[in-house]
Amino acid sequence: MSAKMMKRLPCAVLAVSALLGLSACSEVPQVSVYEQGQYRGKSDTRPWEGGEFKGDRAAWEKALKERSRGQNEYNRIQ
Amino acid sequence: MGRMKFLCDAERCIECNGCVTACKNEHEVPWGVNRRRVVTMNDGVPGERSISVACMHCSDAPCMAVCPTDCFYKTEDGVVLHDKDKCIGCGYCFYACPFGAPQFPNGPAAFGARGKMDKCTFCAGGPEADGSTAEYEKYGSNRLAQGKLPLCAEMCSTKALIAGDADVVANIFRERVLRRGGGAEVWGWDAAYGGGEQKRERKREGQS
């Protein structure tokens, strides 16, 4: 190996290491994008579909509304 | 039907723990799991307030957002429920919940050893067949399918805890506050059960 090449070797090594070092500075997106998960369990029936209401949604809603209003004691004393 | 919500009137709650007992009995909740509990602030100080807390069935529930197995779902009535068969007991929902609603039968054990998460279901059971034994054993009673409200609210002796459709609940509370009169600084028996209004009426009558 010639003396000229020996002189250039450290420069070459320095250049290559600088290149490798700078390669870590690339613009990689740092913010994760979260996706909304989808329910993966068993499907559920709606409360009026089974049991005593047998699909009668209106009756179920009426029953529940009456119960809800019954919590207002002012309705009871009037 | 709108959104199912709980509302606890801190002016009325007398810390009787009846709601806690009713919930435990209705769903046969095991030791160490409290789907509902009563929290008292400034205990022993005049003006102390108690409030009954359980799952608030959040409109944008953080437990649903963090669950790695996506075992949570929301019903048409706004009730947040979960599938215990999918739950791995990681406890993320517990850390995410601002109300401490998710409970684990094995307590603060290691990851995955906590057991299946258990929480208030708004007495709406779970994804098993309505009224089935499997549903009762995993999630407790399904009162909503029977056209009934959660037992904790229905049996509250002072009607501090009310449940149901958000509009109805809000209207009940609005009427109550209007009848009480006064601002947020009002507290005590008269504030909770009237008296303020009657006193003002008597005062007006005295002046005229």
Side-chain angles (χ1 to χ4, degrees):
Chain A
M1 200 179 282
S2 65
K4 206 174 175 185
M5 274 185 80
M6 282 296 282
K7 265 185 181 175
R8 280 182 183 174
L9 193 65
C11 290
V13 169
L14 202 74
V16 168
S17 59
L19 240 148
L20 280 170
L22 284 170
S23 67
C25 303
S26 57
E27 291 282 328
V28 176
Q30 301 286 311
V31 181
S32 306
V33 179
Y34 294 103
E35 284 178 19
Q36 187 66 45
Q38 290 287 315
Y39 173 57
R40 285 190 282 178
K42 275 177 270 181
S43 61
D44 194 7
T45 53
R46 290 175 290 190
W48 58 85
E49 287 176 346
E52 55 196 76
F53 291 95
K54 296 179 178 67
D56 190 350
R57 184 175 181 167
W60 178 77
E61 285 188 358
K62 190 167 173 268
L64 222 63
K65 214 155 232 176
E66 274 170 18
R67 286 236 174 200
S68 302
R69 288 193 182 128
Q71 294 178 113
N72 188 354
E73 74 279 1
Y74 295 123
N75 287 344
R76 299 186 203 167
I77 56 173
Q78 274 165 1
Chain B
M1 188 55 69
R3 287 190 172 278
M4 294 297 177
K5 290 286 175 200
F6 282 117
L7 192 150
C8 186
D9 186 350
E11 301 288 352
R12 285 195 174 196
C13 183
I14 54 169
E15 202 192 349
C16 69
N17 277 285
C19 50
V20 178
T21 313
C23 176
K24 284 215 128 193
N25 188 53
E26 178 72 3
H27 305 297
E28 290 183 14
V29 182
W31 273 107
V33 174
N34 282 301
R35 290 185 178 185
R36 178 168 286 286
R37 63 223 173 276
V38 177
V39 178
T40 303
M41 286 151 279
N42 297 329
D43 204 355
V45 179
E48 69 169 39
R49 296 285 200 286
S50 294
I51 190 165
S52 178
V53 188
C55 172
M56 301 302 274
H57 300 280
C58 305
S59 301
D60 187 9
C63 54
M64 288 180 84
V66 299
C67 179
T69 59
D70 289 322
C71 75
F72 288 91
Y73 65 103
K74 192 186 274 273
T75 69
E76 279 182 32
D77 322 301
V79 180
V80 178
L81 298 174
H82 72 297
D83 185 348
K84 279 195 180 181
D85 295 343
K86 286 276 168 194
C87 177
I88 55 170
C90 67
Y92 287 1
C93 51
F94 176 76
Y95 295 118
C97 178
F99 305 103
Q103 302 275 306
F104 293 90
N106 300 337
F111 184 98
R114 299 178 172 95
K116 306 277 184 189
M117 189 274 279
D118 192 275
K119 74 169 193 73
C120 159
T121 61
F122 206 87
C123 288
E128 304 291 342
D130 288 349
S132 63
T133 314
E135 186 185 49
Y136 187 78
E137 282 174 356
K138 285 181 194 170
Y139 309 99
S141 169
N142 189 342
R143 290 171 57 85
L144 219 61
Q146 297 165 1
K148 296 171 185 170
L149 290 170
L151 190 65
C152 53
E154 290 219 273
M155 60 73 59
C156 178
S157 56
T158 59
K159 285 282 158 272
L161 186 64
I162 41 180
D165 182 40
D167 283 343
V168 180
V169 167
N171 283 336
I172 294 170
F173 192 66
R174 191 178 298 116
E175 189 187 347
R176 194 181 281 183
V177 170
L178 284 171
R179 278 176 182 255
R180 270 181 211 162
E185 75 286 353
V186 180
W187 69 277
W189 186 269
D190 282 352
Y193 300 99
E197 199 182 354
Q198 289 94 315
K199 269 182 193 165
R200 272 192 294 282
E201 271 177 17
R202 263 180 263 139
K203 206 175 173 185
R204 276 197 294 272
E205 281 165 10
Q207 283 170 348
S208 59

Coordinates of all heavy atoms in Angstrom, one line a residue, chain A residues 36-53 57 60-65 67-78, chain B residues 1 4 12 68-73 76-77 81 83 85-86 126-128 130 138 144-149 153-154 159 162-164 168 172 175-176 179:
Chain A
Q36 N -58.9 2.6 16.1 CA -60.0 2.2 17.0 C -60.2 0.7 16.9 O -60.4 0.2 15.8 CB -61.2 2.9 16.6 CG -62.4 2.7 17.5 CD -62.1 3.3 18.9 OE1 -61.6 4.4 19.0 NE2 -62.5 2.6 19.9
G37 N -60.1 0.0 18.0 CA -60.3 -1.4 18.0 C -61.8 -1.8 17.8 O -62.7 -1.0 18.1
Q38 N -62.0 -2.9 17.3 CA -63.4 -3.4 17.1 C -63.7 -4.5 18.1 O -62.8 -5.3 18.4 CB -63.5 -4.0 15.7 CG -63.4 -3.0 14.6 CD -64.7 -2.2 14.5 OE1 -65.8 -2.7 14.5 NE2 -64.6 -0.9 14.4
Y39 N -64.9 -4.5 18.6 CA -65.3 -5.5 19.6 C -65.1 -6.9 19.1 O -65.5 -7.2 18.0 CB -66.7 -5.2 20.1 CG -67.3 -6.3 21.0 CD1 -66.7 -6.6 22.2 CD2 -68.4 -7.0 20.6 CE1 -67.2 -7.6 23.0 CE2 -69.0 -8.0 21.4 CZ -68.4 -8.3 22.6 OH -68.9 -9.2 23.5
R40 N -64.4 -7.7 19.8 CA -64.1 -9.1 19.3 C -64.7 -10.2 20.1 O -64.4 -11.3 20.0 CB -62.6 -9.3 19.3 CG -61.9 -8.5 18.1 CD -60.5 -8.9 17.9 NE -59.7 -8.2 18.9 CZ -58.4 -8.4 18.9 NH1 -57.8 -9.2 18.1 NH2 -57.6 -7.8 19.8
G41 N -65.6 -9.8 21.0 CA -66.3 -10.8 21.8 C -67.6 -11.3 21.2 O -67.8 -11.1 20.0
K42 N -68.3 -12.0 22.0 CA -69.6 -12.6 21.5 C -70.6 -11.5 21.3 O -70.6 -10.5 22.0 CB -70.2 -13.5 22.6 CG -69.6 -14.9 22.5 CD -70.1 -15.8 23.6 CE -69.2 -15.8 24.8 NZ -69.6 -16.6 25.9
S43 N -71.5 -11.7 20.4 CA -72.6 -10.6 20.2 C -73.7 -10.8 21.2 O -74.0 -11.9 21.7 CB -73.2 -10.8 18.8 OG -73.8 -12.0 18.7
D44 N -74.2 -9.7 21.6 CA -75.2 -9.6 22.7 C -76.6 -9.3 22.1 O -76.7 -8.6 21.1 CB -74.8 -8.6 23.7 CG -75.6 -8.7 25.0 OD1 -76.4 -9.7 25.2 OD2 -75.5 -7.8 25.9
T45 N -77.6 -9.8 22.7 CA -79.0 -9.5 22.3 C -79.4 -8.2 23.0 O -78.8 -7.9 24.0 CB -80.0 -10.6 22.6 OG1 -79.9 -10.8 24.0 CG2 -79.8 -11.8 21.8
R46 N -80.3 -7.5 22.4 CA -80.8 -6.3 23.0 C -81.8 -6.6 24.1 O -82.4 -7.7 24.1 CB -81.4 -5.4 22.0 CG -80.3 -4.8 21.1 CD -80.8 -4.0 19.9 NE -81.5 -4.8 18.9 CZ -81.9 -4.4 17.7 NH1 -81.6 -3.2 17.4 NH2 -82.5 -5.1 16.9
P47 N -81.9 -5.8 25.2 CA -82.7 -6.2 26.4 C -84.1 -6.5 26.1 O -84.7 -7.3 26.8 CB -82.5 -5.0 27.3 CG -81.9 -3.9 26.5 CD -81.2 -4.5 25.4
W48 N -84.7 -6.0 25.1 CA -86.1 -6.2 24.8 C -86.3 -7.5 23.9 O -87.5 -7.9 23.7 CB -86.8 -5.0 24.2 CG -86.2 -4.6 22.9 CD1 -86.4 -5.1 21.6 CD2 -85.1 -3.6 22.7 NE1 -85.6 -4.5 20.7 CE2 -84.8 -3.6 21.4 CE3 -84.4 -2.8 23.6 CZ2 -83.8 -2.7 20.8 CZ3 -83.5 -1.9 23.1 CH2 -83.2 -1.9 21.7
E49 N -85.2 -8.0 23.4 CA -85.4 -9.1 22.5 C -85.7 -10.4 23.1 O -86.4 -11.3 22.6 CB -84.1 -9.2 21.6 CG -84.0 -8.1 20.6 CD -82.8 -8.1 19.7 OE1 -81.8 -8.8 20.1 OE2 -82.8 -7.4 18.7
G50 N -85.0 -10.7 24.3 CA -85.3 -11.9 25.0 C -86.2 -11.7 26.2 O -86.7 -10.6 26.4
G51 N -86.4 -12.8 26.9 CA -87.1 -12.6 28.2 C -88.6 -12.3 28.0 O -89.2 -12.7 27.0
E52 N -89.1 -11.4 28.9 CA -90.5 -11.2 28.9 C -91.1 -10.3 27.9 O -92.3 -10.2 27.6 CB -90.9 -10.7 30.3 CG -90.2 -9.5 30.8 CD -90.3 -9.3 32.3 OE1 -89.7 -10.1 33.1 OE2 -91.1 -8.4 32.7
F53 N -90.2 -9.4 27.3 CA -90.7 -8.5 26.3 C -90.8 -9.0 24.9 O -91.5 -8.4 24.1 CB -89.9 -7.2 26.4 CG -90.1 -6.4 27.6 CD1 -89.2 -6.6 28.7 CD2 -91.2 -5.6 27.8 CE1 -89.4 -6.0 29.9 CE2 -91.3 -4.9 29.0 CZ -90.5 -5.1 30.1
R57 N -90.2 -3.6 21.7 CA -89.3 -2.5 22.2 C -90.1 -1.4 22.9 O -89.7 -0.8 23.9 CB -88.5 -1.9 21.0 CG -87.5 -0.9 21.5 CD -86.6 -0.4 20.4 NE -85.7 0.6 20.9 CZ -84.7 1.0 20.2 NH1 -84.4 0.6 19.0 NH2 -83.8 1.9 20.7
W60 N -91.0 -2.3 26.4 CA -89.8 -2.3 27.3 C -89.4 -0.8 27.6 O -89.2 -0.5 28.8 CB -88.6 -2.9 26.5 CG -87.3 -2.9 27.3 CD1 -87.0 -3.7 28.3 CD2 -86.2 -2.0 27.1 NE1 -85.7 -3.4 28.8 CE2 -85.2 -2.4 28.0 CE3 -86.0 -1.0 26.2 CZ2 -84.0 -1.7 28.1 CZ3 -84.7 -0.3 26.3 CH2 -83.8 -0.7 27.2
E61 N -89.5 0.0 26.6 CA -89.1 1.4 26.9 C -90.1 2.1 27.9 O -89.8 2.9 28.7 CB -89.1 2.2 25.6 CG -87.9 1.9 24.8 CD -87.7 2.8 23.6 OE1 -88.6 3.7 23.3 OE2 -86.7 2.7 22.9
K62 N -91.4 1.7 27.7 CA -92.5 2.2 28.6 C -92.2 1.8 30.0 O -92.3 2.6 30.9 CB -93.8 1.7 28.1 CG -95.0 2.4 28.7 CD -96.3 2.1 27.9 CE -97.5 2.6 28.7 NZ -98.1 1.6 29.6
A63 N -92.0 0.5 30.2 CA -91.7 -0.1 31.5 C -90.6 0.6 32.2 O -90.6 1.0 33.4 CB -91.5 -1.6 31.4
L64 N -89.5 0.9 31.4 CA -88.3 1.5 32.0 C -88.5 2.9 32.3 O -88.0 3.4 33.3 CB -87.1 1.3 31.0 CG -85.8 0.9 31.6 CD1 -85.9 -0.4 32.2 CD2 -84.7 0.9 30.6
K65 N -89.3 3.6 31.4 CA -89.5 5.0 31.7 C -90.4 5.2 32.9 O -90.1 6.1 33.7 CB -90.2 5.6 30.4 CG -89.9 7.0 30.2 CD -90.1 7.4 28.7 CE -88.8 8.0 28.1 NZ -88.9 8.3 26.7
R67 N -90.5 3.3 35.5 CA -89.6 3.0 36.6 C -88.7 4.2 36.9 O -88.5 4.6 38.1 CB -88.7 1.8 36.3 CG -89.5 0.5 36.4 CD -88.8 -0.4 37.4 NE -89.6 -1.6 37.6 CZ -89.4 -2.4 38.6 NH1 -88.5 -2.1 39.5 NH2 -90.2 -3.5 38.7
S68 N -88.2 4.8 35.8 CA -87.3 5.9 36.0 C -88.0 7.1 36.6 O -87.5 7.8 37.5 CB -86.8 6.4 34.6 OG -86.1 5.4 34.0
R69 N -89.3 7.3 36.1 CA -90.0 8.5 36.7 C -90.5 8.2 38.1 O -90.7 9.1 38.9 CB -91.3 8.7 35.8 CG -90.9 9.3 34.5 CD -92.1 9.9 33.8 NE -91.7 10.5 32.5 CZ -92.2 10.2 31.3 NH1 -93.2 9.3 31.3 NH2 -91.8 10.7 30.2
G70 N -90.6 6.9 38.5 CA -91.0 6.5 39.8 C -89.9 6.9 40.8 O -90.2 6.9 42.1
Q71 N -88.7 7.2 40.4 CA -87.7 7.6 41.3 C -87.9 9.0 41.8 O -87.2 9.5 42.7 CB -86.3 7.5 40.6 CG -85.9 6.1 40.2 CD -84.6 6.0 39.5 OE1 -83.7 5.5 40.0 NE2 -84.6 6.6 38.3
N72 N -88.7 9.8 41.1 CA -89.0 11.1 41.6 C -90.1 11.1 42.6 O -91.3 11.0 42.3 CB -89.4 12.0 40.3 CG -89.5 13.4 40.7 OD1 -89.4 13.8 41.8 ND2 -89.8 14.2 39.7
E73 N -89.7 11.3 43.9 CA -90.7 11.2 45.0 C -91.7 12.3 44.9 O -92.8 12.2 45.5 CB -90.0 11.1 46.3 CG -89.4 12.4 46.9 CD -88.1 12.6 46.3 OE1 -87.6 11.8 45.4 OE2 -87.4 13.6 46.6
Y74 N -91.4 13.4 44.2 CA -92.4 14.5 44.1 C -93.6 14.1 43.3 O -94.7 14.6 43.5 CB -91.7 15.7 43.5 CG -90.6 16.3 44.4 CD1 -89.3 16.5 43.8 CD2 -90.9 16.8 45.7 CE1 -88.3 17.0 44.6 CE2 -89.9 17.3 46.4 CZ -88.6 17.4 45.9 OH -87.6 18.0 46.7
N75 N -93.4 13.1 42.4 CA -94.5 12.6 41.7 C -95.5 11.8 42.6 O -96.7 11.7 42.3 CB -94.0 11.6 40.6 CG -93.4 12.4 39.4 OD1 -93.6 13.6 39.3 ND2 -92.7 11.7 38.6
R76 N -94.9 11.2 43.6 CA -95.7 10.3 44.5 C -96.5 11.2 45.5 O -97.6 10.7 45.9 CB -94.8 9.4 45.3 CG -94.0 8.5 44.4 CD -93.2 7.5 45.2 NE -92.1 7.0 44.6 CZ -91.1 6.3 45.2 NH1 -91.2 6.1 46.4 NH2 -90.1 5.8 44.5
I77 N -96.0 12.3 45.9 CA -96.7 13.1 46.9 C -97.7 14.1 46.4 O -98.4 14.7 47.1 CB -95.7 13.8 47.9 CG1 -94.7 14.7 47.1 CG2 -95.0 12.7 48.7 CD1 -93.8 15.5 48.0
Q78 N -97.6 14.3 45.1 CA -98.5 15.3 44.5 C -99.9 14.7 44.3 O -100.1 13.5 44.1 CB -98.0 15.8 43.1 CG -97.0 16.9 43.3 CD -96.2 17.2 42.1 OE1 -96.3 16.6 41.1 NE2 -95.3 18.1 42.3
Chain B
M1 N -85.0 5.2 23.1 CA -84.3 5.3 24.3 C -82.9 5.9 24.2 O -82.2 5.7 23.2 CB -84.2 3.8 24.9 CG -83.6 3.7 26.3 SD -84.5 4.6 27.6 CE -86.1 3.7 27.6
M4 N -78.2 5.4 29.2 CA -78.4 5.1 30.6 C -77.3 5.7 31.4 O -76.2 5.6 31.1 CB -78.4 3.5 30.7 CG -79.5 2.8 30.1 SD -81.1 3.3 30.8 CE -82.2 2.4 29.8
R12 N -78.0 14.2 49.3 CA -78.9 13.2 49.9 C -78.2 12.0 50.4 O -78.8 11.3 51.3 CB -79.9 12.8 48.9 CG -81.0 13.9 48.6 CD -82.1 13.3 47.9 NE -83.2 14.2 47.8 CZ -84.5 13.9 47.4 NH1 -84.7 12.6 47.2 NH2 -85.4 14.8 47.3
P68 N -56.5 -4.4 25.3 CA -55.8 -5.0 24.2 C -56.5 -6.1 23.5 O -56.1 -6.5 22.4 CB -54.5 -5.6 24.9 CG -54.9 -5.8 26.3 CD -56.0 -4.7 26.7
T69 N -57.5 -6.7 24.2 CA -58.3 -7.8 23.5 C -59.6 -7.3 23.0 O -60.4 -8.1 22.5 CB -58.5 -8.9 24.5 OG1 -59.3 -8.4 25.6 CG2 -57.2 -9.5 25.0
D70 N -59.9 -6.0 23.1 CA -61.1 -5.4 22.6 C -62.4 -6.2 23.1 O -63.2 -6.6 22.3 CB -61.1 -5.3 21.1 CG -60.2 -4.3 20.6 OD1 -60.1 -3.2 21.2 OD2 -59.5 -4.5 19.5
C71 N -62.4 -6.4 24.4 CA -63.5 -7.2 24.9 C -64.7 -6.3 25.4 O -65.7 -6.8 25.8 CB -63.0 -8.1 26.1 SG -62.7 -7.3 27.6
F72 N -64.5 -5.0 25.3 CA -65.6 -4.1 25.7 C -66.6 -3.8 24.5 O -66.1 -3.7 23.4 CB -65.1 -2.8 26.2 CG -64.4 -2.9 27.5 CD1 -63.1 -3.2 27.6 CD2 -65.1 -2.7 28.7 CE1 -62.4 -3.3 28.9 CE2 -64.5 -2.8 29.9 CZ -63.2 -3.1 30.0
Y73 N -67.8 -3.6 24.8 CA -68.8 -3.1 23.8 C -69.8 -2.2 24.5 O -69.9 -2.3 25.7 CB -69.4 -4.2 23.1 CG -70.3 -5.1 23.9 CD1 -71.7 -5.0 23.9 CD2 -69.8 -6.1 24.8 CE1 -72.6 -5.8 24.6 CE2 -70.6 -6.9 25.5 CZ -72.0 -6.8 25.5 OH -72.8 -7.6 26.2
E76 N -76.9 -0.3 22.7 CA -77.7 0.8 22.1 C -78.1 1.8 23.2 O -78.3 3.0 22.9 CB -78.9 0.3 21.4 CG -78.6 -0.3 20.1 CD -79.9 -0.7 19.4 OE1 -81.0 -0.2 19.6 OE2 -79.8 -1.7 18.6
D77 N -78.2 1.3 24.4 CA -78.7 2.2 25.5 C -77.5 2.9 26.2 O -77.7 3.5 27.3 CB -79.5 1.4 26.5 CG -80.3 0.4 25.9 OD1 -81.1 0.8 25.1 OD2 -80.2 -0.8 26.1
L81 N -70.4 -2.7 28.5 CA -70.3 -4.1 29.0 C -69.0 -4.8 28.4 O -68.4 -4.2 27.5 CB -71.5 -4.9 28.5 CG -72.9 -4.4 29.1 CD1 -74.0 -5.2 28.4 CD2 -73.0 -4.5 30.6
D83 N -67.0 -8.8 27.5 CA -67.0 -10.2 27.4 C -65.9 -10.8 28.2 O -64.7 -10.7 27.9 CB -66.8 -10.6 25.9 CG -67.0 -12.1 25.6 OD1 -67.0 -12.9 26.6 OD2 -67.1 -12.5 24.5
D85 N -65.0 -13.8 28.5 CA -64.3 -14.9 27.9 C -63.1 -14.3 27.1 O -62.1 -15.1 26.9 CB -65.2 -15.6 26.9 CG -66.3 -16.4 27.6 OD1 -66.1 -16.6 28.9 OD2 -67.3 -16.8 27.0
K86 N -63.1 -13.1 26.7 CA -62.0 -12.4 26.0 C -61.0 -11.7 27.0 O -59.9 -11.5 26.6 CB -62.6 -11.4 25.0 CG -63.2 -12.0 23.8 CD -62.2 -12.3 22.8 CE -62.9 -13.1 21.7 NZ -61.9 -13.8 20.8
G126 N -74.5 -9.6 30.4 CA -73.4 -9.6 29.5 C -73.8 -10.2 28.2 O -75.0 -10.4 27.9
P127 N -72.8 -10.6 27.4 CA -73.1 -11.2 26.0 C -73.6 -12.6 26.0 O -73.6 -13.2 25.0 CB -71.8 -11.0 25.3 CG -70.8 -11.1 26.3 CD -71.4 -10.5 27.6
E128 N -74.0 -13.1 27.2 CA -74.6 -14.5 27.2 C -76.1 -14.3 27.0 O -76.6 -13.2 27.0 CB -74.4 -15.2 28.5 CG -72.9 -15.3 28.9 CD -72.1 -16.3 28.0 OE1 -72.8 -17.1 27.3 OE2 -70.9 -16.2 28.0
D130 N -79.9 -13.7 27.6 CA -80.5 -13.0 28.6 C -81.2 -13.9 29.6 O -82.0 -14.8 29.2 CB -81.6 -12.0 28.1 CG -80.9 -10.8 27.4 OD1 -79.7 -10.7 27.5 OD2 -81.6 -10.1 26.7
K138 N -71.5 -15.3 35.3 CA -70.4 -14.4 34.8 C -70.6 -12.9 35.2 O -69.7 -12.2 35.5 CB -70.2 -14.6 33.3 CG -69.5 -15.9 32.9 CD -69.3 -15.9 31.4 CE -69.0 -17.3 31.0 NZ -69.0 -17.4 29.5
L144 N -82.3 -5.2 33.4 CA -82.7 -4.4 32.3 C -83.6 -5.1 31.3 O -84.6 -4.6 30.8 CB -81.5 -3.8 31.6 CG -81.5 -2.4 31.1 CD1 -81.7 -1.4 32.3 CD2 -80.3 -2.0 30.4
A145 N -83.3 -6.4 31.1 CA -84.1 -7.2 30.2 C -85.4 -7.5 30.8 O -86.4 -7.9 30.1 CB -83.4 -8.5 29.9
Q146 N -85.6 -7.3 32.1 CA -86.9 -7.5 32.8 C -87.6 -6.2 32.9 O -88.7 -6.1 33.5 CB -86.7 -8.0 34.2 CG -86.0 -9.4 34.2 CD -85.5 -9.7 35.6 OE1 -85.6 -9.0 36.6 NE2 -84.8 -10.9 35.7
G147 N -87.1 -5.1 32.3 CA -87.7 -3.8 32.3 C -87.5 -3.1 33.6 O -88.3 -2.3 34.0
K148 N -86.5 -3.5 34.3 CA -86.2 -2.9 35.6 C -84.9 -2.1 35.6 O -84.0 -2.4 34.8 CB -86.1 -4.0 36.7 CG -87.4 -4.7 36.9 CD -87.1 -5.9 37.8 CE -88.4 -6.8 38.0 NZ -88.1 -8.0 38.7
L149 N -84.8 -1.2 36.5 CA -83.5 -0.4 36.6 C -82.6 -1.1 37.5 O -82.9 -2.0 38.3 CB -83.9 1.0 37.1 CG -84.7 1.9 36.2 CD1 -85.2 3.1 36.9 CD2 -83.8 2.3 35.0
A153 N -80.0 1.7 42.6 CA -80.7 3.0 42.5 C -82.2 2.8 42.9 O -82.7 3.6 43.6 CB -80.7 3.5 41.0
E154 N -82.7 1.6 42.5 CA -84.2 1.4 42.9 C -84.4 1.3 44.4 O -85.5 1.6 44.8 CB -84.7 0.2 42.1 CG -84.8 0.4 40.6 CD -86.0 -0.2 40.0 OE1 -85.9 -1.4 39.6 OE2 -87.0 0.5 39.9
K159 N -83.2 8.2 47.8 CA -83.2 8.5 46.4 C -82.1 9.4 46.0 O -82.2 10.3 45.2 CB -84.6 9.1 46.0 CG -85.7 8.0 45.9 CD -85.6 7.2 44.6 CE -86.2 5.9 44.7 NZ -85.4 4.8 45.2
I162 N -79.9 7.9 41.6 CA -81.0 7.6 40.6 C -80.4 7.1 39.3 O -79.2 7.5 39.0 CB -81.9 8.9 40.3 CG1 -81.1 10.2 40.3 CG2 -82.9 9.0 41.4 CD1 -81.9 11.4 40.0
A163 N -81.1 6.3 38.6 CA -80.6 5.7 37.3 C -81.6 5.7 36.3 O -82.8 5.9 36.6 CB -80.1 4.3 37.6
G164 N -81.2 5.6 35.1 CA -82.2 5.5 33.9 C -81.7 6.4 32.8 O -80.5 6.8 32.7
V168 N -84.4 11.6 31.6 CA -85.3 11.5 32.8 C -84.6 11.8 34.1 O -85.1 12.5 34.9 CB -85.9 10.1 32.8 CG1 -86.9 9.9 34.0 CG2 -86.7 9.8 31.5
I172 N -85.4 14.8 36.8 CA -85.6 14.6 38.2 C -84.7 15.5 39.1 O -85.2 16.1 40.0 CB -85.5 13.1 38.6 CG1 -86.5 12.2 37.9 CG2 -85.5 12.9 40.1 CD1 -86.2 10.7 38.0
E175 N -85.6 19.3 38.9 CA -86.8 19.6 39.7 C -86.4 19.7 41.2 O -86.8 20.6 41.9 CB -87.9 18.6 39.4 CG -89.2 19.0 40.1 CD -90.3 18.0 40.0 OE1 -90.1 17.0 39.3 OE2 -91.3 18.1 40.8
R176 N -85.6 18.7 41.5 CA -85.1 18.6 42.9 C -84.3 19.8 43.3 O -84.6 20.4 44.4 CB -84.2 17.4 43.1 CG -84.0 16.9 44.4 CD -83.1 15.7 44.4 NE -83.8 14.5 44.1 CZ -83.2 13.3 44.1 NH1 -81.9 13.2 44.4 NH2 -83.9 12.2 43.9
R179 N -86.5 22.9 43.6 CA -87.3 22.9 44.9 C -86.5 23.3 46.1 O -87.0 23.9 47.0 CB -88.0 21.5 45.0 CG -89.3 21.4 44.2 CD -89.8 20.0 44.4 NE -91.0 19.8 43.5 CZ -92.2 19.8 44.0 NH1 -92.4 19.9 45.3 NH2 -93.2 19.6 43.2

